[in-house]
Amino acid sequence: MSKQVEFFFDFGSPTAYLAWTQLPRIAGEAGADIVWRPALLGGIFKATGNQSPVMIPAKGRYMTQDLARFARRYAVPLAFNPNFPINTLPLMRGAVGYLDTPQFDAYMKAVYEAMWVTQKNMGQAEVIASVLAEAGLDVADFQQRIGDEQVKAGLKTFTEEAVARGAFGAPTFFVNGEMFFGQDRLDFVAEALR
């Protein structure tokens, strides 16, 4: 079996966005595969009693500054979305729906950049449709996928699995069964993959 890093993520997390910008390089350098695990952050928070750092004003202000530091370090764009928090349920169902399809990478790029680069209100169906169409994705196909009962069940299963394995937020990574939380732990992820 090849080396793997499991990546539990939600599009609503700016730290998961930052991790997404770096993880392919880290995995590539280690000769590892990324196992994508879309999980609904709201469900994880509800099950664990956790909440977004922005719910605590001082922590939210600090986190915003810290995210900007990491974006500069990684040399990637990051613009805090003024529409935050956004209900990511349809977006996360889309991630499950496109998992293991040729469209997955394009979907991830379109949604993450709309959320954390161009600051689109991805809680609105018409905005989602516009973003996906611009990325060359079939909007009717997306709607069909997110309405599929197996896709809905898949997102629930991934979310429950994250909680059962100890996750309390996103991004959460697992390498050889060891958990790492937060994009600021990517150095430990890289070390574990080596």
Side-chain angles (χ1 to χ4, degrees):
M1 187 169 102
S2 66
K3 288 189 279 188
Q4 294 182 333
V5 53
E6 294 175 85
F7 178 38
F8 286 88
F9 68 94
D10 185 309
F11 293 118
S13 165
T15 52
Y17 158 72
L18 287 175
W20 168 78
T21 69
Q22 302 305 299
L23 196 58
R25 175 187 55 78
I26 290 167
E29 289 172 356
D33 294 322
I34 300 171
V35 181
W36 304 96
R37 300 278 194 235
L40 195 62
L41 192 51
I44 293 173
F45 282 169
K46 186 175 179 183
T48 61
N50 197 4
Q51 61 181 346
S52 170
V54 300
M55 300 307 288
I56 302 165
K59 192 173 185 179
R61 284 190 299 274
Y62 175 80
M63 184 179 158
T64 301
Q65 294 169 348
D66 205 43
L67 291 173
R69 286 187 198 110
F70 274 101
R72 284 192 301 272
R73 173 175 286 172
Y74 299 153
V76 297
L78 171 68
F80 200 81
N81 197 313
N83 306 292
F84 187 86
I86 289 171
N87 177 1
T88 60
L89 181 61
L91 301 173
M92 295 311 298
R93 284 180 177 163
V96 174
Y98 286 116
L99 209 57
D100 304 321
T101 71
Q103 296 95 340
F104 182 74
D105 289 341
Y107 180 76
M108 291 286 286
K109 183 177 187 329
V111 175
Y112 261 134
E113 289 183 357
M115 286 285 289
W116 300 111
V117 179
T118 58
Q119 303 173 304
K120 299 274 188 351
N121 187 350
M122 295 297 280
Q124 296 182 340
E126 63 275 13
V127 176
I128 295 171
S130 171
V131 165
L132 297 184
E134 196 174 302
L137 294 162
D138 183 320
V139 177
D141 178 57
F142 167 77
Q143 291 296 340
Q144 184 177 351
R145 287 175 191 271
I146 67 171
D148 185 278
E149 291 304 319
Q150 283 186 308
V151 166
K152 293 177 182 179
L155 180 58
K156 187 176 179 193
T157 298
F158 281 133
T159 304
E160 289 171 349
E161 178 191 347
V163 172
R165 292 174 68 187
F168 49 86
T172 299
F173 313 91
F174 288 91
V175 179
N176 298 322
E178 187 175 4
M179 186 176 100
F180 303 92
F181 170 73
Q183 65 83 26
D184 54 346
R185 297 299 182 261
L186 283 171
D187 55 339
F188 287 112
V189 170
E191 189 175 273
L193 288 171
R194 285 195 295 269

